């Protein structure tokens, strides 16, 4: 199971997802109401445990955790793996959750 599959499985098993088929990798988890700011903390705890990485306070921005793709991108970056290209701005979670 690759990183993206592990993230998808965690999201769909841990949070209420109305229709898994409509949740594509780039869907905003915050905008779709799949996770809120508390849910993001659960995602971070999952990443730290599952991938043995440490999420720094300055990394807790929506850009890193708003979609399955962005979470996968963040994990790859933290683990020094090939990082897919993305075009998004860093938005603090506190602003994105409002």
């Amino acid at each position: 199971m690759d990183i993206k599959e592990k993230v998808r499985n965690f999201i769909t098993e841990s949070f209420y997802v109305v229709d898994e088929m409509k949740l594509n990798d780039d869907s905003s988890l915050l905008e779709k109401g799949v996770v809120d700011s508390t849910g993001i903390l659960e995602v971070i705890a999952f990443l730290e445990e599952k991938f043995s990485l440490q999420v720094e306070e300055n990394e807790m921005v929506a850009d890193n955790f708003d979609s399955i793709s962005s979470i996968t991108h963040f994990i790859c970056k933290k683990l020094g793996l090939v990082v897919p290209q993305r075009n998004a701005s860093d938005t603090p979670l506190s602003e994105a959750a409002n």
Side-chain angles (χ1 to χ4, degrees):
M1 184 181 300
D2 70 13
I3 291 172
K4 191 175 283 186
E5 288 177 50
K6 289 177 183 175
V7 171
R8 175 175 283 283
N9 284 346
F10 174 75
I11 296 295
T12 58
E13 292 172 3
S14 302
F15 301 99
Y16 179 68
V17 178
V18 176
D19 185 352
E20 290 182 35
M21 300 302 288
K22 290 184 178 178
L23 183 66
N24 67 45
D25 292 342
D26 295 319
S27 295
S28 170
L29 301 174
L30 292 166
E31 288 179 12
K32 288 192 170 285
V34 175
V35 297
D36 57 14
S37 56
T38 303
I40 294 294
L41 296 176
E42 292 179 48
V43 171
I44 290 170
F46 164 74
L47 300 182
E48 290 182 336
E49 180 181 328
K50 187 72 174 181
F51 298 100
S52 301
L53 54 83
Q54 180 69 43
V55 178
E56 303 299 330
E57 192 170 318
N58 66 343
E59 296 171 321
M60 294 182 189
V61 294
D63 190 44
N64 289 332
F65 305 104
D66 192 38
S67 68
I68 292 170
S69 290
S70 65
I71 296 168
T72 301
H73 175 93
F74 178 76
I75 294 167
C76 289
K77 189 170 98 179
K78 290 291 283 187
L79 298 178
L81 303 173
V82 175
V83 178
Q85 293 293 319
R86 296 179 47 228
N87 294 322
S89 62
D90 289 345
T91 304
L93 287 176
S94 58
E95 292 177 19
N98 294 327

